[in-house]
Amino acid sequence: METLTYRFEHGSRRLPSAPQVVGVVGSGNLEVLIESAALGGACEIEIQTAAVGFGQIWEAVMRDFHQRWPLADARIAINDVGATPAVVSLRLDQAVQTMLGTTP
């Protein structure tokens, strides 16, 4: 297992207080927990992944996510079992949309 942590400062979009979980931890998939947290306007993302050595790809996916959703005071935990970057992006978008009550 590998743990990766990312922090993005100066977000502009705040989330409701109730946390949300989307996805299922299983072969080729992942689970995302997203919640509000007092982080001084930042968004923190922690990833637990079985796919060791893909830090650069994870970082690119997380940067792309933060450009789409510049979250403020948000904490995201990802439990991964080998999901592709497209599935990661889908689950992250799904988590935010579920929390905000919006659709794509």
Side-chain angles (χ1 to χ4, degrees), residues 6-103:
Y6 302 97
R7 182 178 171 104
F8 299 96
E9 303 291 340
H10 311 297
S12 60
R13 191 164 199 168
R14 294 199 181 334
L15 298 170
S17 60
Q20 293 289 326
V21 176
V22 297
V24 177
V25 177
S27 179
N29 209 328
L30 71 141
E31 171 186 72
V32 175
L33 166 66
I34 184 169
E35 60 188 337
S36 294
L39 299 171
C43 175
E44 289 183 352
I45 304 169
E46 181 179 274
I47 302 158
Q48 296 282 329
T49 181
V52 176
F54 292 91
Q56 289 181 323
I57 294 170
W58 278 104
E59 183 175 358
V61 172
M62 295 305 105
R63 287 191 183 286
D64 181 61
F65 167 73
H66 186 66
Q67 286 178 346
R68 284 193 314 278
W69 300 100
L71 300 179
D73 294 325
R75 180 174 290 124
I76 299 171
I78 299 173
N79 296 312
D80 172 55
V81 186
T84 65
V87 171
V88 173
S89 290
L90 173 77
R91 289 287 178 246
L92 286 167
D93 288 347
Q94 182 184 26
V96 174
Q97 290 166 353
T98 299
M99 213 165 177
L100 295 175
T102 63
T103 57

